[in-house]
Amino acid sequence: GLWVRNFSWNLTFFEWKRLLHNAVEKTPENAPEWFKAHLDWLRSLEKKNQANVLTFEAATLGTYLTFFNMAGDNIKTKMQVDPERYPSFRSTAYEIWSQHGLVGFTRGSLFKGIYLILGSTLAIGIQERLTEIMAALLR
């Protein structure tokens, strides 16, 4: 479960980041007006600040995917922690639904989302700065 979630988040993050960087270079055809205005604002920023904003946006969009993965992860965790009470996927899902409704499947995702957004924004930002520094040193 964790491998699938991390893989899907990374794939989504890097695909969104690529899409957003490409959109800054050339506005996509049929882009909505609000997106065009956002791209114009991004183009007004310095390149490093532009990269930071794009990284944050891609991390946010990638984290949105985490909320879809949380339901299965919550069911799996309950089954691992208390196999007597939660013997099957179906009965575990039913109990979560009957006790907490739809929100029960997303428990814990807010903090995980915040962690993913902040962590990835910092990590990718640092990586981009170090790449710049190393490129300057090699010139």
Side-chain angles (χ1 to χ4, degrees), residues 12-83:
T12 305
F13 169 75
F14 287 110
E15 284 302 308
W16 272 113
K17 189 161 185 200
R18 183 180 59 79
L19 181 127
L20 291 170
H21 273 286
N22 290 342
V24 169
E25 296 300 317
K26 182 176 184 267
T27 303
E29 292 181 26
N30 302 324
E33 289 303 316
W34 64 267
F35 190 57
K36 289 178 183 177
H38 181 64
L39 292 174
D40 289 339
W41 173 74
L42 284 169
R43 290 180 189 118
S44 72
L45 300 174
E46 292 180 32
K47 285 288 186 190
K48 68 178 182 175
N49 293 333
Q50 189 183 94
N52 287 339
V53 171
L54 290 173
T55 299
F56 177 79
E57 290 175 348
T60 303
L61 292 167
T63 300
Y64 183 70
L65 179 66
T66 300
F67 289 95
F68 293 105
N69 291 325
M70 282 303 294
D73 195 44
N74 282 340
I75 293 170
K76 173 196 65 91
T77 301
K78 285 186 180 294
M79 290 174 68
Q80 286 176 330
V81 169
D82 192 355

Side-chain angles (χ1 to χ4, degrees), residues 94-110:
Y94 179 76
E95 186 170 330
I96 292 171
W97 176 263
S98 61
Q99 288 181 1
H100 306 288
L102 189 60
V103 175
F105 293 105
T106 62
R107 285 192 153 173
S109 58
L110 177 64

